[in-house]
Amino acid sequence: MAHFLVQTIWLVPCYALIGAILSIAWVPGIIRRTGPRPSAYLSSLMTLLAFLHGLVALWASWNQPPQQLLFHWLSVANLELSFPVEISSVTIGATVLVTGINLLAQIYAIGYMEMDWGWARFYALLALFEAGMCALVLCNSLFFSYVILEILTLGTYLLVGLWFSQSLVVTGARDAFLTKRVGDLLLLMGVLALYPIAGTWNFTELAQWASSANVDPTLMALVGLALLAGPMGKCAQFPLHLWLDEAMEGPIPSTILRNSVVVATGAWVLIKLQPILALSPVVMAMIVFVGAVTAVGASLIAIAQIDVKRALSYSVSAYMGLVFIAVGTGHSDSALLLVLTHAVAISLLVMSIGAIVWNNITQDVTQMGGLWSRRPISGLAFLVGAAGLLAFPPLGSFWALLKLADGLWESRSWLVGVLVLVNALTAFSLSRVFCLIFGNQTKQMTVRSPEVHWPMILPMMVSLGFTLHLPLVLKSLSLLPEWTAGNKGVGIVLICSTIVGCSTASIIYLGGMVHKPVQLVWKPLQDFFAYDLYTPELYRLTIVFGVGLVSGIIAFVDRYLVDGLVKLVGNTFIVGGQRLRYSNSGQSQFYALTILCGIGVLGMMLGWPFLSHLSLSYAP
């Protein structure tokens, strides 16, 4: 039975698709009789089946060699497109992570969206997300991975714009979609350019080809940079990071999925492409540069945010920047461990923040306070989630960061400093949010703020328990680095950075020595971080200006040249017809004479070269 479940692991995305189809049935035409709730129950049931299928298959495939299934799709000329499915403990484990988090998000949504009538549409889109991500991790083809990423981009637009009657939601969905399109377009160029060079889109075959490839460095640099643009957009890396901030306008349950595993889809493709990108040192250096800039910059921006959801979104971008650093330095195992620990911890943090937002009037952290006595479960979930995200032993991210720092210490020790700095800034940012929400005195916006009901508490507690037990799970699977074999000095520095960040934020935001809200001495620097490093202005002066200029030129050519030429021809015939209308008598013999004259003139024009040749031939 277990072997059968391993061989049929490709059915896991199909469970979600069935759930999406069943959810669509509960559209407004049927809601009047049954209500929207059956869509949630059926979709959650199919996700549960997918989770159990993957869990049993993971147990059966552990420590087994990878296998590949091939589904033929299209064969045209010299191009053959097949959908290869990779069956390994890594890919199956990724499906378990996706389905598990989505199951918790769907149960959470039953409580969060209790009074919402868009259940059928919402749960169908969540199921589409789950199916797309499960298909992505199982897919072993770069071409089909790109197709799936495009489907997920469309799903992001639809989920963020779920409440389309609100103008900010529509704007956020549009901006998130268009920002992703920049990276997707360049990724498509790289995908199409890679095939003539390597002769395949299969990730396994690409890795084998890259191990002995001898290609032009400039060509591989251009192709690699194009391939890098796609993961940059999906992982919300600078300068394509603003979409994640805009996506916060969507419902919190979808944010649980998006901030934990959806952003990691770009990292997954990046890890798969690592052997190809390693052919160009320029591309690898660019990956490290983008990751370092995003990690440090997003950590600083998160500290300057007053919207609690946006503060978390920038922490996600910062953590994905660390994943980029891991891939750019060749530590793919550390990158996968970072993705896992981040997904588990950030999902718990989003659930905690969603519980706060659900029954509070404001999302402004400066207007909150004193919720620890009223919301102890949400506060405890936030603390555990924050500890799981930071270098706080013995929780998961400490071991992930330690493994990466240990690998970087010998070759690129300056990147260890980046890791320590980002960890300290993230610790400060999360402690700041916790102090402003749960510490100090109760404020007007938080006087009445009871704990949420059980559909939201249940997934929160399950996620909390798994976050606490994740190190034990990883230890049993031999996936944690040994403390005795690692660099203890680096580990101690990481722990100290967590302590410094948390204690500094506690002193500032819990004590009375610093006036609140905190203002920097130099206001332009504070505005620089508060306004996202002025990235929107950068977009406006570059991409928006360039697209607007090109669009204006095309519009001018279309209006005055193409359309103008067509109108000139049309007006010529209209004027000519009107003139001829007054010169005709209506007599048939006149029409016949006109036709004969026209045929005669046309014959003379066509036969003139021949007649000229005859006249020259018979000249005396």
Side-chain angles (χ1 to χ4, degrees):
M1 182 62 179
H3 177 73
F4 172 77
L5 293 178
V6 172
Q7 295 299 316
T8 58
I9 193 64
W10 53 270
L11 287 174
V12 169
C14 299
Y15 292 121
L17 289 178
I18 294 173
I21 295 173
L22 295 177
S23 298
I24 294 175
W26 271 263
V27 293
I30 307 175
I31 282 177
R32 299 191 186 106
R33 297 194 299 271
T34 64
R37 287 186 176 270
S39 61
Y41 303 147
L42 289 172
S43 181
S44 301
L45 177 61
M46 300 309 298
T47 302
L48 176 62
L49 292 177
F51 174 74
L52 295 177
H53 186 158
L55 197 61
V56 176
L58 178 62
W59 171 78
S61 64
W62 192 254
N63 289 330
Q64 298 297 320
Q67 307 176 43
Q68 182 167 294
L69 298 177
L70 201 61
F71 295 92
H72 295 284
W73 180 51
L74 180 66
S75 180
V76 178
N78 295 325
L79 178 64
E80 182 175 349
L81 293 179
S82 301
F83 192 96
V85 175
E86 181 182 351
I87 303 176
S88 66
S89 54
V90 176
T91 57
I92 297 176
T95 63
V96 173
L97 178 66
V98 170
T99 54
I101 292 180
N102 191 37
L103 179 62
L104 296 178
Q106 288 178 331
I107 298 173
Y108 189 91
I110 293 175
Y112 190 91
M113 304 185 69
E114 182 181 21
M115 304 302 293
D116 199 292
W117 278 77
W119 279 39
R121 188 157 42 93
F122 177 76
Y123 277 92
L125 291 173
L126 277 186
L128 178 65
F129 255 120
E130 178 191 331
M133 286 184 289
C134 290
L136 178 68
V137 298
L138 292 174
C139 178
N140 201 31
S141 168
L142 175 60
F143 175 77
F144 284 104
S145 295
Y146 171 78
V147 174
I148 296 170
L149 287 176
E150 291 298 286
I151 296 174
L152 293 177
T153 300
L154 175 62
T156 299
Y157 172 77
L158 296 174
L159 263 180
V160 175
L162 183 73
W163 296 323
F164 53 83
S165 58
Q166 304 176 26
S167 59
L168 287 178
V169 170
V170 175
T171 303
R174 180 201 63 195
D175 293 347
F177 180 78
L178 293 178
T179 304
K180 278 190 170 186
R181 299 306 301 150
V182 176
D184 291 344
L185 179 60
L186 295 174
L187 175 60
L188 178 60
M189 295 179 183
V191 170
L192 296 178
L194 182 62
Y195 187 82
I197 301 172
T200 181
W201 277 317
N202 187 287
F203 284 123
T204 304
E205 295 175 0
L206 284 173
Q208 295 173 353
W209 170 81
S211 62
S212 59
N214 184 16
V215 292
D216 181 39
T218 303
L219 176 62
M220 283 312 301
L222 294 175
V223 174
L225 291 174
L227 295 173
L228 175 61
M232 282 175 57
K234 304 302 179 184
C235 293
Q237 298 296 288
F238 182 84
L240 303 177
H241 63 285
L242 288 183
W243 75 266
L244 191 59
D245 176 56
E246 297 290 344
M248 293 301 106
E249 298 294 342
I252 286 287
S254 64
T255 304
I256 298 172
L257 201 64
R258 180 171 52 250
N259 282 17
S260 57
V261 288
V262 173
V263 293
T265 56
W268 180 268
V269 174
L270 188 68
I271 294 170
K272 288 283 203 177
L273 287 173
Q274 198 271 340
I276 302 298
L277 303 178
L279 293 174
S280 173
V282 175
V283 177
M284 298 298 281
M286 179 59 69
I287 296 174
V288 174
F289 173 76
V290 169
V293 169
T294 305
V296 177
S299 300
L300 292 170
I301 294 173
I303 297 174
Q305 300 303 304
I306 61 174
D307 187 296
V308 61
K309 294 197 295 184
R310 283 176 166 78
L312 283 186
S313 73
Y314 283 107
S315 296
V316 172
S317 295
Y319 213 92
M320 287 296 107
L322 300 182
V323 175
F324 265 59
I325 292 176
V327 176
T329 53
H331 297 88
S332 298
D333 293 340
S334 300
L336 287 173
L337 189 58
L338 283 168
V339 169
L340 172 61
T341 57
H342 166 264
V344 173
I346 201 67
S347 62
L348 179 57
L349 277 173
V350 175
M351 288 183 195
S352 173
I353 292 303
I356 300 298
V357 172
W358 186 68
N359 56 7
N360 277 280
I361 302 174
T362 181
Q363 297 176 188
D364 189 341
V365 292
T366 61
Q367 299 181 19
M368 299 183 186
L371 286 181
W372 178 258
S373 58
R374 291 172 170 79
R375 310 290 296 276
I377 298 178
S378 300
L380 182 62
F382 188 96
L383 283 177
V384 174
L389 195 64
L390 302 171
F392 187 88
L395 299 185
S397 287
F398 167 73
W399 301 105
L401 292 172
L402 177 62
K403 184 175 183 178
L404 177 58
D406 194 24
L408 295 174
W409 181 253
E410 296 295 334
S411 57
R412 303 189 184 185
S413 56
W414 66 275
L415 286 176
V416 178
V418 174
L419 262 65
V420 172
L421 177 61
V422 171
N423 183 68
L425 292 174
T426 305
F428 183 92
S429 175
L430 294 178
S431 300
R432 165 183 171 267
V433 173
F434 178 82
C435 294
L436 290 174
I437 294 177
F438 297 98
N440 298 316
Q441 299 296 321
T442 304
K443 295 184 179 180
Q444 184 178 3
M445 294 294 184
T446 56
V447 172
R448 296 181 178 180
S449 183
E451 195 61 85
V452 292
H453 51 167
W454 73 266
M456 299 172 67
I457 292 293
L458 177 61
M460 198 186 306
M461 290 297 98
V462 173
S463 181
L464 186 149
F466 188 75
T467 303
L468 292 175
H469 289 83
L470 180 61
L472 298 177
V473 175
L474 296 176
K475 181 68 175 178
S476 65
L477 299 175
S478 302
L479 295 178
L480 282 187
E482 293 290 339
W483 172 256
T484 56
N487 193 324
K488 297 183 181 63
V490 173
I492 293 174
V493 172
L494 285 171
I495 296 172
C496 291
S497 66
T498 301
I499 296 173
V500 170
C502 294
S503 57
T504 304
S506 301
I507 293 172
I508 294 175
Y509 292 99
L510 290 181
M513 295 183 296
V514 180
H515 178 72
K516 265 76 74 178
V518 179
Q519 301 286 335
L520 294 181
V521 178
W522 194 37
K523 193 175 185 303
L525 181 61
Q526 180 170 332
D527 293 339
F528 180 68
F529 294 121
Y531 293 106
D532 308 334
L533 308 182
Y534 292 115
T535 308
E537 292 297 319
L538 177 64
Y539 285 175
R540 186 180 63 82
L541 295 176
T542 55
I543 297 176
V544 176
F545 174 77
V547 172
L549 180 62
V550 173
S551 301
I553 295 174
I554 294 175
F556 176 84
V557 172
D558 180 67
R559 176 176 297 179
Y560 296 104
L561 295 182
V562 179
D563 195 29
L565 180 61
V566 173
K567 287 183 177 179
L568 176 62
V569 174
N571 290 332
T572 302
F573 280 102
I574 291 174
V575 173
Q578 290 176 347
R579 294 292 179 89
L580 290 174
R581 181 179 61 181
Y582 297 109
S583 62
N584 294 330
S585 61
Q587 297 179 356
S588 58
Q589 58 268 31
F590 181 79
Y591 292 149
L593 179 62
T594 303
I595 294 173
L596 289 175
C597 292
I599 293 175
V601 173
L602 181 62
M604 290 289 293
M605 293 174 61
L606 294 176
W608 181 254
F610 178 73
L611 295 176
S612 301
H613 179 70
L614 289 178
S615 62
L616 291 175
S617 300
Y618 292 100

